[in-house]
Amino acid sequence: QVQLIESGGGLVQDGGSLRLSCAASGRTGDIYAMGWFRQTPGKEREFVASVSWSNDNTYYADSVRGRFTISGDTAKNTIYLQMNSLKPEDTAVYYCATYPFEDFSLRTLLWERGYWGPGTQVTVSS
């Protein structure tokens, strides 16, 4: 089992910044990558960003590339998501997740086989 705890969500104005953190504990040896997803009511959960534990490769959704930066600290089993130039459409519950397979994929279906945090609310007011 892996436990994930997210922090850093909140309310921010259009154009503002927030930094999310996610700390993993437990069987962290089962983690090959970690990432962030987000979900709004009535919509499917969508990929935001991820970082590989083996080579630090990062991936971003087109909607956040250039505004969000994901980073990871393998020693602390923690990832961060620096979110700048936030827009009202970034409002969502943000979830931290682990990727449990050695061959990396962005397919949400595979990420769902890993572990997920409880989520943290990010609200961007216009």
Side-chain angles (χ1 to χ4, degrees), residues 9 15 17 22 24 43 45 75 92 113 120 123:
S17 298
C22 175
K43 293 187 177 181
R45 193 154 44 188
R113 299 283 297 275
T120 184
T123 302

Side-chain angles (χ1 to χ4, degrees), residues 44-94:
E44 291 187 357
R45 193 154 44 188
E46 65 171 352
F47 169 80
V48 175
S50 67
V51 57
S52 168
W53 247 214
S54 61
N55 56 22
D56 292 331
N57 282 351
T58 56
Y59 298 89
Y60 296 93
D62 289 342
S63 58
V64 307
R65 188 175 291 113
R67 299 187 298 121
F68 291 10
T69 302
I70 189 170
S71 59
D73 185 335
T74 54
K76 296 181 179 179
N77 293 306
T78 299
I79 61 170
Y80 308 93
L81 186 68
Q82 178 65 44
M83 304 186 293
N84 298 330
S85 302
L86 282 161
K87 306 174 183 180
E89 50 263 44
D90 294 317
T91 295
V93 177
Y94 283 71

Side-chain angles (χ1 to χ4, degrees), residues 113-124:
R113 299 283 297 275
Y115 294 94
W116 291 76
T120 184
Q121 177 70 46
V122 171
T123 302
V124 184

